[in-house]
Amino acid sequence: MSYENAKANLREFGKELNLEGLVFDENNTCILGIDNTFSLHITYEPNSDRLYLYSPILDGLPKDDKIRLKLYERLLEGSMLGGQMAGGGIGVAPKEELILMHCVIDMGLGVDANALRRFAPLFVETVEKWREIVSKIMAGEDPGPFQFPVPPGGEMPSAPAFGGGKPGERYIKI
C-alpha cells in the first residue's frame, strides 16, 4: 500500500510540473533535472515505507583545509536538528567528493497523494539556497546569515502567527 502511495505522490508531483508519466525506475528512483543546474532524486525505500528526496549541494570538495573546515562548520550548523535544511540533513561522501542534502517523507498510512507536491518546492528552494552559500564559501567569500527561502507566492509567517511571540506561550507548563 505504501508503494502505491509513493507512486501516487510521484504522479501528482508530475502533474504539478506538467510532466505526465513520472515513474520510478527499477531502483525505485526518479531523477529530475532542475533548471539544468542540479538534480532532484526521489527514491522510495520499501523496507521503511519512506520517500527520500536528495540533491547534490557540491560536487568536488575544496582542497584548501581552511575553506573545507569553514564549509563543514557551516553545513553542520545549518543541519542542526534540520533547522536550515527543510527538516532534513546533509551528508558528505569524501571519496566521491560529494555533498548531498536529503529529506524524508513517510509514505505509510494517513499520508495523502499530495505530500510530495506540497513539500518539493520548499526542498528545491532550500537546495538552491545552500548551493549559493556553498558557492560563496568555495570562493572564499562570507555567505552571510542564512535566509529561509520564501515560499512560492507568499512570505514566511511571522513569529506571532505561531503563538503570539511571547516566551513560553506555546508550551504547556507541567
Side-chain angles (χ1 to χ4, degrees), residues 5-158:
N5 191 14
K7 291 190 295 187
N9 265 271
L10 191 59
R11 272 192 310 274
E12 290 303 314
F13 183 50
K15 288 177 187 176
E16 180 77 13
L17 300 174
N18 293 319
L19 295 172
E20 296 294 325
L22 285 185
V23 294
F24 292 112
D25 65 14
E26 65 278 356
N27 297 314
N28 293 332
T29 298
C30 179
I31 303 171
L32 300 171
I34 307 295
D35 295 333
N36 294 320
T37 307
F38 66 93
S39 56
L40 169 62
H41 300 245
I42 304 166
T43 299
Y44 174 72
E45 209 304 301
N47 293 326
S48 65
D49 291 334
R50 292 179 173 167
L51 201 58
Y52 291 88
L53 281 70
Y54 51 100
S55 289
I57 299 295
L58 179 66
D59 189 6
L61 296 175
K63 304 299 179 212
D64 182 276
D65 289 342
K66 288 181 182 183
I67 291 177
R68 190 170 51 248
L69 177 60
K70 184 174 183 172
L71 174 65
Y72 287 171
E73 285 177 346
R74 186 64 183 263
L75 290 169
L76 284 170
E77 178 184 22
S79 190
M80 174 109 33
L81 301 176
Q84 297 171 0
M85 301 283 175
I90 206 86
V92 178
K95 289 181 183 177
E96 293 81 8
E97 295 197 24
L98 181 65
I99 296 175
L100 292 178
M101 187 177 130
H102 64 276
C103 285
V104 177
I105 302 174
D106 185 33
M107 288 287 112
L109 293 174
V111 176
D112 67 43
N114 291 303
L116 176 60
R117 181 187 57 78
R118 286 190 306 268
F119 180 71
L122 173 64
F123 182 78
V124 169
E125 291 289 325
T126 305
V127 167
E128 288 174 337
K129 182 64 183 169
W130 276 103
R131 288 176 60 86
E132 178 185 318
I133 289 170
V134 166
S135 177
K136 287 181 179 178
I137 292 171
M138 295 288 286
E141 300 173 18
D142 179 12
F146 182 85
Q147 298 291 321
F148 282 99
V150 175
E155 293 188 24
M156 295 295 285
S158 62

